[in-house]
Amino acid sequence: MSADWFNDRPLDLREVCVRLREAVEERERFFKLTTSATYYPLEIPPRPFRLSGYGASGTAQLPLPFANNLVRRIARLVDNSFDPRKFGAWSEFFPLNGAGAGIMNQATYPLFEELGIDGYAYCRAPLSRPFRWADMAFFHAAAEVLDRIVRYPRPPEFNDSGGRDRGRVFGIDAALHIVDFADGSRTDGTYQPAGRDLRRTLASGRAVSCHPRSGAYWRRNEGLYYADERHLYYDASADPAWGTDVRGAGVELTGEFTIRLHTRCGFFVSRYGAGTETWYEEYDQDLTIRPGGVCDVPRFPLWESTFAAWRTAPEESNILSREAGMTISAPLIRLTPENYPVLPYQYLS
């Protein structure tokens, strides 16, 4: 296609609507967003058209239902887009989350000015202002939003819960252990690929659950559970249930990229007659994910030493329990265009 989708030859409004619908649909396929058409169908308006006013006059129709559903479909795509201006720098996984509603409702939304798009042509707010049909300004603005914003889908979000068997592309694994002090028996397992906690009921009757966010839990006369050997995984072969989430599930990345992993750990020591002592520690570390999903090993040196000490510490007469747990998130990611497949769009400047 030419840089201007609508000026390569004279087009009537029907053909303009067809091109915009095809542009939206090809991006939804690439983004793997599959439910929008059910709720917001892009039915091509029948001829003859009216290009001014608010309603119908005789048999002449305004393309209003098409336009309203178009901006809703584009809004979802915008929310699931990775901002191409963020390439090479640290970015949130959802850098444009919420921008879809912004460009629907605010003609002065910053993205319009930053990317040179006519927000007043695209956005009807206030709702009393009609779409600009006659000069094609609305349709050109919609094409520019797709051209300049809706290019790269956001990456699969890192999640420290859930399994590859359930379509989690990017997450964490760990070896899980539960020890019953009554007879010294132990239960061991791993978190992946099912993404399920290791569970057991101790002889004391207490039900315990161990997962990658478990540091070490020790309770007098009952038992111990802990996780170790934590590592990240990035499994582009995982089969997400694409389209079941309003946000979509992201598109798998290739090559090498870096994340900033944030970990926060809480420590709790309960003593007879003295309540619970609590403290927290947290820090960031930058980790690289390489081709084939080979990931740097996350390090938790201060916490791991505490966990290890608590697993083997001799009993103290006044301590009822020791517990340590962590939350792990990846708030930032650094990407390049090479981390994406070649964009498969017909409608792209």
Side-chain angles (χ1 to χ4, degrees), residues 161-198:
S161 64
R164 280 176 281 184
D165 286 352
R166 290 182 284 168
R168 295 291 188 183
V169 174
F170 192 12
I172 193 165
D173 197 4
L176 311 176
H177 315 278
I178 299 175
V179 181
D180 192 328
F181 289 162
D183 57 9
S185 63
R186 57 185 296 135
T187 304
D188 302 291
T190 58
Y191 188 62
Q192 296 296 342
R196 295 193 183 96
D197 300 350
L198 185 66

Side-chain angles (χ1 to χ4, degrees), residues 191-233:
Y191 188 62
Q192 296 296 342
R196 295 193 183 96
D197 300 350
L198 185 66
R199 299 174 184 272
R200 177 174 172 177
T201 299
L202 302 176
S204 65
R206 182 182 298 274
V208 297
S209 176
C210 184
H211 47 74
R213 299 174 303 285
S214 302
Y217 180 93
W218 175 94
R219 188 173 182 87
R220 174 181 297 277
N221 299 326
E222 288 193 5
L224 162 73
Y225 67 83
Y226 63 95
D228 58 12
E229 300 178 24
R230 294 174 186 82
H231 63 275
L232 303 181
Y233 74 87

Side-chain angles (χ1 to χ4, degrees), residues 39-171:
Y39 303 106
Y40 305 116
L42 295 179
E43 297 179 0
I44 304 303
R47 295 184 180 92
F49 309 118
R50 288 183 67 231
L51 296 181
S52 63
Y54 293 90
S57 176
T59 59
Q61 301 284 329
L62 280 172
L64 187 60
F66 176 88
N68 282 334
N69 283 346
L70 180 69
V71 295
R72 291 184 176 100
R73 297 270 286 269
I74 290 176
R76 188 182 180 200
L77 283 164
V78 169
D79 283 341
N80 281 279
S81 293
F82 186 80
D83 189 340
R85 298 170 300 173
K86 298 288 188 179
F87 283 130
W90 288 112
S91 169
E92 297 175 344
F93 279 68
F94 287 87
L96 293 175
N97 190 33
I103 66 173
M104 282 178 62
N105 300 310
Q106 301 176 46
T108 58
Y109 195 76
L111 270 183
F112 288 133
E113 182 178 359
E114 292 168 8
L115 296 173
I117 299 170
D118 186 348
Y120 287 93
Y122 183 77
C123 178
R124 294 184 66 212
L127 294 179
S128 59
R129 185 170 53 79
F131 283 112
R132 285 168 55 188
W133 313 120
D135 62 359
M136 299 292 291
F138 164 73
F139 299 103
H140 279 285
E144 288 171 348
V145 171
L146 291 168
D147 233 17
R148 302 179 192 183
I149 303 175
V150 183
R151 290 184 172 227
Y152 298 93
R154 66 150 177 102
E157 190 176 22
F158 174 87
N159 194 299
D160 68 350
S161 64
R164 280 176 281 184
D165 286 352
R166 290 182 284 168
R168 295 291 188 183
V169 174
F170 192 12

Side-chain angles (χ1 to χ4, degrees), residues 280-327:
Y280 298 91
E281 297 174 358
E282 55 189 302
Y283 72 94
D284 295 328
Q285 53 186 312
D286 297 345
L287 303 172
T288 298
I289 291 79
R290 298 179 174 80
V294 178
C295 304
D296 284 353
V297 177
R299 303 294 180 186
F300 312 102
L302 295 176
W303 303 333
E304 292 289 4
S305 61
T306 301
F307 301 161
W310 283 9
R311 292 197 297 265
T312 59
E315 294 189 4
E316 299 178 33
S317 59
N318 69 328
I319 292 183
L320 174 64
S321 64
R322 303 183 184 97
E323 181 177 1
M326 61 173 65
T327 58

